[in-house]
Every structure is written in C-alpha cells, then in structure tokens.
Amino acid sequence: MIIVKESGYLTFKNLKFQCALGRAGIGKKKEEGDYITPRGTFKLVKVFYRADKIKNFKTSLKKIKIKKKMGWCDDPKSRFYNKQIRLPSNFGYEKLYRSDRLYDLVVVLNYNLNPIIKNKGSAIFIHVAKKSFKKTAGCITLNKKNLIDLLSVIKKNTKIKII
C-alpha cells in the first residue's frame, strides 16, 4: 500500500518521497475545483506517458502513450466528465499533451470513476511535480525520477491510501 500524508511525503515499503498535494490539503472532496486531494484508498488504474520524453520505464500498470489530441474532461456539463477525451472539445478539459513536463508521466487514480458523479471532482492523478513542489489543484505530484522508481516496484493491485 502506498501511503500519502498531509506532511507532503509518499511512502511505499522502504521508499519515501517528497510530494505535493492540493492547495486545500487532504480532505473530503466537495466539488470540482475545490483544490482538495481526496482522502481515501484508491486503485492505480493506468499510466499515460510522453514517449518522446520518457523512453523506457517499467510498470505493471497499463501504459498509454500520450498523443497531441488527448485530454481529460473536467466539465460536469459533459457526458464525458472525468474521462479521457479527444481534443478539441466544446467542454472544459485538461490537455494531456503539454509543453511543460508535468504530464510527461501521469498515473490515473480511480477517484470518482465507478460510478462517475457529476461535479464530485475529476482528474485525480499522480504526476510530475514542479521543481518547487508547488501545491496542486488536487493531484499528487512527485519528482519525475521518483515517480519512475515508484512505478517500477508497484504491482497491478497496489493501492494508494491518502490520509
């Protein structure tokens, strides 16, 4: 079990990494855009990655190459809310193919996926941190090397507990 604490550290077995969390801390998500990292235990669903930026990494999770027209819908008005979409879209979304390095590697958590509840929050990811470990909109971020290291040792059934 991966453990994430409000102190800004993620641990798994003998690994301990600094991480950044949502600006509003860890808690019960109330709505889309509340900047809360959701408290709870979640599955790691799949990994999106930029093949042009990360060449060879090992993981037991399903790997999906990020393409230029890929996005993630964060608009509760859309029937594709909290799902991967093809861009452009008439609804709000996050681009997965970004010019910065933050989405070079993205692990999707199963937060609000089954069933999807409109406005409960979307796109809870583990992704690459800014150099300053600046707080996020609700995601968990790690240094790129640490994220690659973590992905190499977890199993398909590894869960993350955010406390």
Side-chain angles (χ1 to χ4, degrees):
M1 174 96 48
I2 300 167
I3 305 291
V4 176
K5 294 184 178 179
E6 190 96 40
S7 61
Y9 284 93
L10 176 150
T11 57
F12 180 72
K13 296 185 177 178
N14 63 340
L15 301 174
K16 183 176 182 178
F17 301 130
Q18 179 182 3
C19 66
L21 303 166
R23 281 177 257 188
I26 294 173
K28 182 172 171 52
K29 275 199 83 61
K30 295 173 185 76
E31 62 187 356
E32 183 70 37
D34 62 10
Y35 298 102
I36 291 173
T37 300
R39 183 181 317 280
T41 302
F42 306 100
K43 290 180 184 175
L44 309 175
V45 179
K46 56 191 162 193
V47 179
F48 291 107
Y49 71 101
R50 287 278 302 266
D52 59 324
K53 303 232 181 149
I54 298 179
K55 297 297 179 203
N56 228 348
F57 72 99
K58 292 181 198 167
T59 185
S60 63
L61 299 175
K62 180 180 180 182
K63 291 171 30 173
I64 301 167
K65 291 179 185 176
I66 296 174
K67 298 187 171 73
K68 289 186 179 178
K69 294 191 182 260
M70 288 173 74
W72 194 272
C73 182
D74 59 8
D75 190 336
K77 294 187 275 319
S78 170
R79 66 186 176 103
F80 299 109
Y81 178 63
N82 204 23
K83 293 182 181 178
Q84 178 191 330
I85 57 171
R86 182 170 168 79
L87 302 179
S89 171
N90 292 327
F91 294 96
Y93 60 86
E94 289 191 48
K95 284 179 102 173
L96 294 179
Y97 193 98
R98 295 170 53 136
S99 58
D100 62 20
R101 57 189 185 76
L102 301 184
Y103 282 7
D104 288 358
L105 196 55
V106 177
V107 181
V108 179
L109 304 186
N110 75 332
Y111 175 79
N112 195 25
L113 286 181
N114 191 15
I116 294 171
I117 299 168
K118 299 284 180 133
N119 210 39
K120 187 178 176 189
S122 65
I124 303 299
F125 299 148
I126 303 172
H127 64 81
V128 178
K130 293 184 177 179
K131 285 191 169 118
S132 64
F133 281 90
K134 185 178 175 187
K135 294 195 179 276
T136 71
C139 291
I140 299 163
T141 63
L142 295 171
N143 160 291
K144 187 189 282 189
K145 181 191 178 310
N146 292 344
L147 183 49
I148 290 169
D149 290 347
L150 179 66
L151 285 170
S152 74
V153 295
I154 62 168
K155 304 289 183 229
K156 267 188 181 174
N157 61 349
T158 300
K159 293 187 178 176
I160 184 166
K161 186 172 188 175
I162 305 168
I163 52 177

